[in-house]
Amino acid sequence: MFRYPNGKPYQPKNTTKQKQQPSIVYSNRGMTLEEDLNETNKYYLENQLAVIHKKPTPVQIVNVDYPRRSAAVIKEAYFKQSSTTDYNGIYRGKYIDFEAKETKNKTSFPLQNFHSHQIDHMKSVLKQDGVCFVILSAFNDFYYLDAKHLLVFWERQENGGRKSITMEEIKDKGHIIPIGYQARIDYLKIIDKLYF
């Protein structure tokens, strides 16, 4: 009989059991969209592939409590202005600008997830010949949807039409983004395919 250094007897595990394959769980995918994009962008930066950063939200701090010199607590703050999109930067000489959104809806992507100031910003980027798109976490996948397509769906809504993008429309106009290990949501592969 073998014993651990603390004196407890060693009990071998039963090795005749069949190993159960781990099931893929999609429930937390949307929860980590921003984290995965930040890790992807970090990988791009460290490997000198692209320089893409998350834009900070402009905030006006109004009231701060200083219980100790080293521990300031913000008590009240307001958004200075409407934010534009989540990420921007440069890749192969092209300006990159995109928004990241997610839904748990199983059949469509609600347009209420976007704001009119974001749409206006995307229009401005497209007018300057920038690469503008949205990354959608939907239907157990990540999709690259060019802003020009999003604008068509937005305009349809503005004219009294459907207030969401159907799953079929996203699958038709969008591109599934490959999931990787280092570049988790490797959207540069789609940009390469579309622009270079």
Side-chain angles (χ1 to χ4, degrees):
M1 173 179 256
F2 293 100
R3 294 188 178 272
Y4 287 107
N6 65 3
K8 289 188 179 180
Y10 167 73
Q11 298 290 331
K13 292 184 179 171
N14 187 355
T15 57
T16 58
K17 279 187 181 177
Q18 251 188 349
K19 287 187 179 180
Q20 210 175 11
Q21 291 292 331
S23 61
I24 298 174
V25 178
Y26 292 105
S27 63
N28 287 340
R29 272 179 101 167
M31 303 285 282
T32 64
L33 176 61
E34 185 177 314
E35 180 183 304
D36 286 345
L37 283 170
N38 291 341
E39 285 298 315
T40 299
N41 291 334
K42 182 179 174 187
Y43 172 80
Y44 291 160
L45 185 63
E46 288 172 351
N47 289 278
Q48 299 180 2
L49 300 171
V51 179
I52 313 285
H53 293 288
K54 179 156 177 43
K55 295 180 199 173
T57 305
V59 176
Q60 174 69 49
I61 298 171
V62 179
N63 186 4
V64 180
D65 184 21
Y66 294 97
R68 293 188 317 266
R69 184 176 174 95
S70 63
V73 177
I74 297 172
K75 294 290 189 178
E76 188 177 0
Y78 299 97
F79 294 113
K80 274 185 173 177
Q81 62 195 38
S82 299
S83 62
T84 53
T85 50
D86 289 335
Y87 296 89
N88 70 344
I90 191 161
Y91 173 60
R92 295 177 66 177
K94 284 270 198 192
Y95 176 73
I96 306 294
D97 197 294
F98 69 94
E99 178 69 16
K101 298 286 186 186
E102 57 192 291
T103 187
K104 294 188 189 306
N105 193 321
K106 296 186 185 331
T107 59
S108 64
F109 197 95
L111 286 165
Q112 71 183 12
N113 287 352
F114 297 96
H115 304 286
S116 58
H117 61 270
Q118 291 174 322
I119 298 297
D120 292 341
H121 175 75
M122 290 181 201
K123 287 178 185 175
S124 297
V125 171
L126 291 176
K127 282 183 186 172
Q128 296 300 320
D129 203 26
V131 176
C132 191
F133 56 96
V134 292
I135 292 180
L136 305 175
S137 174
F139 324 122
N140 293 327
D141 276 310
F142 296 110
Y143 292 89
Y144 174 111
L145 181 66
D146 199 292
K148 69 182 178 189
H149 298 303
L150 175 64
L151 297 178
V152 170
F153 299 129
W154 184 267
E155 196 169 307
R156 175 179 69 186
Q157 172 191 250
E158 294 289 293
N159 293 328
R162 187 178 179 95
K163 295 181 183 337
S164 64
I165 310 168
T166 67
M167 177 170 42
E168 292 76 23
E169 290 170 327
I170 290 173
K171 289 185 176 190
D172 179 46
K173 299 293 184 190
H175 303 270
I176 292 180
I177 302 171
I179 305 305
Y181 173 66
Q182 292 175 318
R184 293 182 187 179
I185 303 174
D186 198 359
Y187 59 88
L188 290 186
K189 286 185 177 172
I190 307 298
I191 294 174
D192 284 340
K193 188 167 76 170
L194 297 175
Y195 291 91
F196 300 105

